[in-house]
Amino acid sequence: MQSETHNLTIARLVVIEGMGQGAIFPLFDRQVLIGRLSNSDLPLDDSSVSRLHARLFYRDGCYFIEDLGSRAGTLVNGQPISGHRVLGHGDEIQIGSVRLRYQH
């Protein structure tokens, strides 16, 4: 019997503009807190980013993003989000002056 090889695709965020440009953050956890705090799951050292700015969470096979009441808000593909929003491959997320691309 021949064994099958499965391609496991890990979702990730890639910094495409701003502090840390080019950095890649694999999303292994069911929840990822994004903010300026150094103990954030994804810390962004940028004064335009709130201490706890946004949260990614995994549910029903998809990652969602929600703003955590940040001062500047969170944009997905140039549009402000309210509540939570599912992320699709290639979506661009703006958090302060940092832009990230979601890939899966």
Side-chain angles (χ1 to χ4, degrees):
M1 184 176 198
Q2 205 172 24
S3 67
E4 286 185 42
T5 305
H6 296 281
N7 289 332
L8 178 61
T9 303
I10 302 292
R12 63 190 187 165
L13 293 175
V14 179
V15 180
I16 58 174
E17 185 177 302
M19 182 76 68
Q21 185 172 354
I24 298 171
F25 298 95
L27 302 175
F28 296 115
D29 297 321
R30 297 189 76 73
Q31 174 175 281
V32 177
L33 293 173
I34 303 170
R36 202 174 65 239
L37 290 175
S38 61
N39 65 344
S40 297
D41 300 312
L42 199 166
L44 298 176
D45 186 19
D46 184 304
S47 62
S48 62
V49 174
S50 294
R51 286 185 212 128
L52 283 177
H53 197 107
R55 173 177 84 111
L56 292 174
F57 60 96
Y58 187 80
R59 185 174 65 201
D60 300 327
C62 299
Y63 270 100
F64 292 78
I65 187 166
E66 71 176 329
D67 186 81
L68 297 176
S70 68
R71 186 178 61 238
T74 300
L75 307 178
V76 175
N77 298 326
Q79 300 299 312
I81 61 169
S82 61
H84 59 273
R85 180 194 189 286
V86 69
L87 290 172
H89 181 74
D91 279 350
E92 289 190 9
I93 301 163
Q94 176 114 19
I95 296 179
S97 63
V98 178
R99 280 192 320 132
L100 307 122
R101 179 169 290 124
Y102 174 76
Q103 298 176 338
H104 67 91

